[in-house]
Every structure is written in structure tokens, then in C-alpha cells.
Amino acid sequence: MSAVRRPLIIAHRGASGSAPENTIAAFHKAVLAGANMIELDVRLTKDFHIVVHHDRNVRRTTSGKGNIWNLTLQQLRALDAGSWADPRFHRERIPTLREVMEFLLPTNVNLNIEVKTDGDPRKHTHFEECLILIIMEKKFEERALVSSFDHKFLKRIRELFPQIATGALYHPVRDVRKKPSTLCTGIGASAFICSRTQLRRRMIHDAHTHRLTVACYGVNVPQHFDKVLTLGVDAVVTDWPEKMIGRLTDSRYFSRSQHSIHHL
């Protein structure tokens, strides 16, 4: 494997391989591991709070049930969001985006905010405006990347506040015949994000030709890590940031330079 630039290491839902996903415990482990960035998912509650949760329904990762958009923040705070992974995490709760930003403020770890709008039947919720206000309130304009499969959402973010960087997530059905540059240019996104199995060298070539950053998720074992790096990705999204950062200690593989959040 020839020398390549060090990639950014992005902790997928925090260090979700060793702690319950999208919890403060997972984010704490990611910070301790030395991740450059944390990826998390956000949804809008019934009473219009932005909370950190991946699924539409809380059933899989909490002690409750029901869709996020049908539950208030108070109802969500009452749920155990950690025991499903391990009983020792029973005190974990679904955090708000504000709480996560406050936790990260004293660190140098940046944030990839993946917005989830799928399933929510409500229209005109002003989700975009709510998100922008929180980013501004916590002064994360230079530390946040907003990503989503909902490209209309990303376009609206850029129209309202172009200082915030955005990343277009690649959908294997909807976007199958589209180049990264086609997806990103029309909505003002500066990053192209796809899974390890979707990644192709031609995608990276097209993205880099158009000055786009390429991030790849689903990279959780050394063999996959080495492979996506030889293809030239700029950022690796992993459940195991501690393991992938350990891989970086083998300096034979990497040049001194590293990608930066400011390129996203």
C-alpha cells in the first residue's frame, strides 16, 4: 500500500461499536479515542425539539415505543436509551443536539449532523431554521457539516445560511446513475458521502475533479480501511474509531498531511 494522506476519522453515531449509538457515552468514547469528527442523526420531536436518534421509531434502541414525531421531549427523556446495548449503560438518555454541542464545545472534535426527515408526515416544520439557529447559538458554524439523504433539505440550508457546509448522501436506487458532482453541485454541497460497498474509483475521481470531499461509511475492519484509503477517500466513517485510529499508527501507510473539516 503506497503512502496516502491521513483520512479524517469520523465516529459513526459516536463510538457505536463499544457504546450505545447516539448517546453521550458513545460520544465520550469517540472523543477519548481521538476521532476528528462525530457523526450523529437528528430528528424533530412532536414539540419541535431536535433530538439525536437514528430510527423513526424508538423501539430498537430505547425502553419505549412510538415514532419520534409523535413523542414530546419530556416523553423521550423518560426512556432508557442504553440498556439495549448493555445494562451498564442504563442511565443513558436520548440527548438533544444542543446537549451534544455543549458536550463537544471544550474539545476540538467536529460534528457531522445527519438530518432524518423520512417518515415524518408533517409539512412546513421549519426544521431547517431550527437547525441553523442551534448551530449559530452554539457557534458551530465552522465545526459542523450538515448531511442528509434529503437533498432538498440540504439545498434549503445553503439558501438560508450558505456559511454552513453540507454533504450529500448517496442513495443506491435514486442516485444510481448520477455522478457525485451532479448530486452535489446543484444543491451547493461540498462533500459526497457513500457506503463502502457503493464506493467506486470513478466516483472519487469525479468528486476530486470538482473539489469535493469524499467520505465513506461502513468501514469497521482493517481490510476495508486499507481498501478505501487506496481508492483515495478523504474521510472514513466507522463504528470503531479507536480501532481505525490504531491503524493510523502504522506510519508506513500515510503521509504527514491530513484532510481538514474546512475542506468539507
Side-chain angles (χ1 to χ4, degrees), residues 152-163:
K152 290 181 180 179
F153 187 100
L154 298 179
K155 185 176 182 180
R156 179 68 173 155
I157 287 284
R158 294 286 293 173
E159 289 171 348
L160 291 170
F161 200 84
Q163 294 90 327

Side-chain angles (χ1 to χ4, degrees), residues 10-41:
I10 305 177
H12 183 238
R13 306 177 198 169
S16 57
S18 55
E21 66 181 58
N22 282 328
T23 62
I24 295 297
F27 303 146
H28 181 62
K29 281 179 172 284
V31 171
L32 292 179
N36 304 108
M37 177 181 274
I38 287 171
E39 184 269 354
L40 51 75
D41 308 280

Side-chain angles (χ1 to χ4, degrees), residues 54-232:
H54 178 273
D55 297 2
R56 302 177 184 186
N57 197 291
V58 299
R59 184 183 299 109
R60 178 176 66 87
T61 58
T62 77
S63 57
K65 60 182 179 179
N67 292 323
I68 292 285
W69 56 85
N70 288 328
L71 298 169
T72 65
L73 180 60
Q74 184 177 5
Q75 289 173 312
L76 290 168
R77 285 197 186 281
L79 304 178
D80 173 353
S83 291
W84 68 274
D86 191 301
R88 61 195 171 97
F89 293 111
H90 70 279
R91 295 184 182 275
E92 293 300 315
R93 297 294 180 263
I94 294 176
T96 64
L97 179 60
R98 273 193 178 92
E99 289 169 342
V100 176
M101 287 182 168
E102 288 166 1
F103 168 74
L104 291 177
L105 271 175
T107 76
N108 62 355
V109 179
N110 295 311
L111 201 54
N112 175 356
I113 305 166
E114 182 179 335
V115 175
K116 297 289 190 182
T117 59
D118 57 293
D120 193 333
R122 298 171 298 180
K123 305 297 180 185
H124 310 299
T125 59
H126 299 288
F127 196 166
E128 299 93 337
E129 289 88 342
C130 292
L131 178 57
I132 289 169
L133 287 173
I134 292 174
I135 291 173
M136 293 177 66
E137 174 193 329
K138 298 303 176 185
K139 302 186 187 308
F140 261 72
E141 296 97 327
E142 297 296 322
R143 295 180 61 182
L145 173 76
V146 177
S147 62
S148 186
F149 286 103
D150 184 345
H151 295 174
K152 290 181 180 179
F153 187 100
L154 298 179
K155 185 176 182 180
R156 179 68 173 155
I157 287 284
R158 294 286 293 173
E159 289 171 348
L160 291 170
F161 200 84
Q163 294 90 327
I164 296 175
T166 57
L169 277 153
Y170 177 83
H171 191 283
V173 177
R174 178 193 64 194
D175 303 327
V176 66
R177 296 187 182 278
K178 297 178 182 177
K179 296 179 179 180
S181 58
T182 303
L183 287 177
C184 294
T185 304
I187 60 174
S190 56
F192 170 76
I193 308 167
C194 69
S195 73
R196 173 183 59 82
T197 57
Q198 295 161 352
L199 187 67
R200 298 290 183 273
R201 191 179 297 275
R202 65 178 180 274
M203 291 177 168
I204 297 174
H205 176 74
D206 173 75
H208 286 170
T209 297
H210 292 84
R211 299 181 180 275
L212 300 172
T213 296
V214 179
C216 179
Y217 61 89
V219 182
N220 293 315
V221 297
Q223 306 94 288
H224 295 159
F225 184 75
D226 290 353
K227 182 177 180 180
V228 300
L229 260 62
T230 59
L231 291 175

